[in-house]
Amino acid sequence: MFARAASDVTPGPLPLEAVRRAGRTRRRRRTTALSALSVLAVATSVVAVVVVLTPVRPSPSAPGPAPVAVPPTVVPTSAPPVRTSEAPPDPTPIRVVASGERVNAGKGWKVWLTAEGKHWVGPDGMENARSVTDGNIDVMAPGVSHQSEGNPKGAFHSGLYYGTRSAGRVELKNAEGRKVVATLLELPGRPGWGVWYAHTGPGMGEVGTALYDRAGELLSELPLIPRSEPS
């Protein structure tokens, strides 16, 4: 049936020229599309290369707090500071007392000062005095006096220092170099003289007396003298 129907149809002329034109159009469109894809691929490759080869600078960081300097660690030592021989000893504090004020000097001894000079009393109750106004002491020049009383168990030493307003210390020293620093007393107003006293133990023997100023300079010195022994 189909064959009989087809034999009754007379075919028209073949539109060859139209087919050719349509084919050329399709080829041009395909070529343009491929060219565009090739350009896009090349551009993408170039961008990728640029991204890979171009160094990237880091963005500046936000300002932060300034670094804190850490001091070097100091390791403490247990060794005490060493005083050199050139450094003088510290001055002895001078106790200011009222006129007639009796000072307990220890071991039953008492000492007091008046405008006339030094007074002292021992355990036996006998009072003694050493004047600064009788003319036997030149208070215009630095000097030191020395009195002592004792027994084989020890001795009490005392005296005057005078002729200076910068007394630093009075020091006793025996023949072996053993030293004892005395206590200093003065009346108010820095009259230019004062009293010193000290105790020494058994075996100290003869002692000398030296007066130093506050800078450690020797102002006056007495030679070694024997201690008074009970008769």
Side-chain angles (χ1 to χ4, degrees):
M1 291 177 62
F2 285 114
R4 285 195 300 270
S7 63
D8 293 337
V9 176
T10 301
L14 177 64
L16 183 59
E17 189 60 30
V19 171
R20 289 176 177 171
R21 285 197 303 270
R24 286 195 294 269
T25 300
R26 284 195 294 269
R27 281 197 300 270
R28 283 196 301 270
R29 290 176 179 173
R30 185 167 57 250
T31 301
T32 301
L34 291 176
S35 299
L37 290 175
S38 299
V39 172
L40 180 60
V42 172
T44 303
S45 300
V46 172
V47 171
V49 172
V50 171
V51 170
V52 171
L53 297 181
T54 303
V56 179
R57 293 184 179 179
S59 60
S61 58
V68 178
V70 179
T73 302
V74 178
V75 180
T77 64
S78 58
V82 178
R83 171 177 286 175
T84 63
S85 58
E86 291 79 8
D90 294 334
T92 304
I94 298 177
R95 178 179 173 183
V96 178
V97 296
S99 178
E101 177 185 349
R102 297 203 171 199
V103 176
N104 183 1
K107 300 183 180 182
W109 294 88
K110 287 183 171 57
V111 178
W112 64 99
L113 287 69
T114 66
E116 288 73 31
K118 164 200 165 192
H119 307 263
W120 73 101
V121 62
D124 58 4
M126 294 184 61
E127 293 189 8
N128 296 277
R130 185 68 170 90
S131 176
V132 295
T133 60
D134 60 3
N136 293 323
I137 292 177
D138 182 9
V139 295
M140 302 304 294
V144 62
S145 68
H146 184 175
Q147 296 84 44
S148 65
E149 299 177 54
N151 53 48
K153 295 182 179 180
F156 175 73
H157 307 262
S158 62
L160 295 171
Y161 63 89
Y162 48 87
T164 177
R165 294 179 180 271
S166 61
R169 76 182 190 279
V170 171
E171 187 177 88
L172 305 181
K173 184 170 67 173
N174 71 358
E176 289 75 31
R178 292 168 57 191
K179 298 179 182 180
V180 174
V181 177
T183 300
L184 306 184
L185 305 175
E186 278 191 14
L187 292 173
R190 300 179 64 187
W193 66 272
V195 170
W196 64 267
Y197 68 85
H199 290 272
T200 58
M204 190 71 174
E206 298 181 0
V207 294
T209 311
L211 170 65
Y212 297 87
D213 65 12
R214 294 172 188 169
E217 190 75 21
L218 179 64
L219 299 179
S220 181
E221 186 174 21
L222 292 176
L224 297 176
I225 60 174
R227 296 181 304 175
S228 297
E229 302 290 348
S231 57

